[in-house]
Amino acid sequence: MQNQDPSVTFYDVCEQAANAAIESRQLFCVDLDHCYHKFRSFDIKVLAVVYSEFQEVMLLDADTLFFQSPMTLWETTKYKSTGTLFFNDRISYELSYLAKRMSSEHENVGALHQFLAGFDVSPYRRFGSLETESRPQLPRSELGLDFSFQPSEFLLNSHVWSLRSGHQMDSSLMLWNKARQPKATVILASFVSLNGLPTVPSYGDKELYWLACELAETAYEFSDFAAGTVGWELLAEGRHKDGVLCGDALQHYPVQKNPAKGPGADVEPLYMNSDNILEWGRDSRRLYRTAARPAEFYPGSFTERKLLQTCPFDVTTMEIAPMEAMLLAQRQQLYDVVAG
């Protein structure tokens, strides 16, 4: 790749992390071998953000497949105003991860609440953060917990705070500006450092980025839309919010590009996150996707509907467009070439 484009640079972030120390105290790992072992996981993405030579970072997973160019995301008001842009995960796992109950005596307290209450933000106050509107006062008496930071309105209204979901963020694609978010970047790095801090109750790295912003008391932005689905297993056709489609995670463009369409209008797909397309049967199956729906909408529990989290319900469904089908076919062909 470097022969084709000399501006492309490859570097080993573990080599840099292994040399990171303050007063002879290692920050991330004891030595290089320890780094290779410790960061053979999703956490390597955090090091990639921290040690990137760019201040503005677009982080994406290898199995992210775009249906349109992501370059316009840099120009969205969401990113320009905060230096962040995150996407929502499925509203599921209401008894696990962030929503795991810590005690049968306190069913309204989950792992998220306990983690945030146990995190001391005072060592990070000297680092800068974006000025934000005043945050609402937390009803601490309801939870019986004390917090060293002021929770945001987004957090207090989120599905994870209400224990309706164990996941908030899909980290397969995100935008992060280190210059705009210095305090959040330091907190993000501390999540994977050798400092004895409590482990974030997250599957992999997915919750680390927005929680770093939340603890930094800084502004951050999520997509306006919930995670959707693309796949072939149409359990019930949904002409108007009454379908069930099983498949892989689909993210729509984070804002409505055409406000004239009005509230509730569909939004173009941006990307999907999965390598399961190798098993989709190529041209032998029709492929469908779900229409966009607001992120704040709570459709109900997968568990109560006896459905897998990969099968969103009460959705509007449609066949994917010819251009989208062509892009999927091209990715399948690329896999064939790489596989030899």
Side-chain angles (χ1 to χ4, degrees), residues 223-274:
S223 168
D224 289 341
F225 303 104
T229 291
V230 58
W232 56 268
E233 194 174 357
L234 187 64
L235 300 186
E237 185 176 1
R239 296 185 180 277
H240 184 67
K241 302 178 182 179
D242 55 355
V244 180
L245 175 64
C246 299
D248 293 291
L250 171 71
Q251 295 290 352
H252 296 83
Y253 201 78
V255 295
Q256 176 59 263
K257 290 183 178 180
N258 185 3
K261 289 184 177 181
D266 189 26
V267 182
E268 295 177 350
L270 175 63
Y271 76 94
M272 64 171 290
N273 173 229
S274 175

Side-chain angles (χ1 to χ4, degrees), residues 165-310:
S165 179
H167 298 316
Q168 176 63 50
M169 179 174 167
D170 175 358
S171 63
S172 56
L173 173 68
M174 70 142 203
L175 273 59
W176 185 279
N177 188 321
K178 293 188 286 186
R180 299 287 305 280
Q181 295 285 356
K183 184 190 294 187
T185 302
V186 173
I187 293 176
L188 177 66
S190 75
F191 286 159
V192 298
S193 62
L194 300 173
N195 53 21
L197 289 176
T199 302
V200 181
S202 166
Y203 177 79
D205 68 309
K206 63 171 57 185
E207 314 296 351
L208 274 58
Y209 309 97
W210 77 276
L211 284 177
C213 292
E214 181 64 33
L215 289 164
E217 297 179 297
T218 188
Y220 58 95
E221 285 284 356
F222 269 86
S223 168
D224 289 341
F225 303 104
T229 291
V230 58
W232 56 268
E233 194 174 357
L234 187 64
L235 300 186
E237 185 176 1
R239 296 185 180 277
H240 184 67
K241 302 178 182 179
D242 55 355
V244 180
L245 175 64
C246 299
D248 293 291
L250 171 71
Q251 295 290 352
H252 296 83
Y253 201 78
V255 295
Q256 176 59 263
K257 290 183 178 180
N258 185 3
K261 289 184 177 181
D266 189 26
V267 182
E268 295 177 350
L270 175 63
Y271 76 94
M272 64 171 290
N273 173 229
S274 175
D275 56 7
N276 287 335
I277 58 173
L278 297 178
E279 304 170 5
W280 280 3
R282 306 296 169 119
D283 298 330
S284 62
R285 288 171 171 161
R286 288 185 177 181
L287 296 177
Y288 303 87
R289 72 169 178 89
T290 57
R293 64 181 175 188
E296 64 270 15
F297 174 72
Y298 178 59
S301 168
F302 283 97
T303 303
E304 293 177 0
R305 293 290 292 264
K306 298 181 179 179
L307 289 168
L308 298 174
Q309 67 149 354
T310 53

Side-chain angles (χ1 to χ4, degrees), residues 314-333:
D314 295 344
V315 293
T316 300
T317 62
M318 63 197 73
E319 287 194 48
I320 64 172
M323 178 62 71
E324 295 158 5
M326 183 189 73
L327 291 171
L328 287 172
Q330 289 177 345
R331 175 59 71 93
Q332 290 170 328
Q333 292 168 5

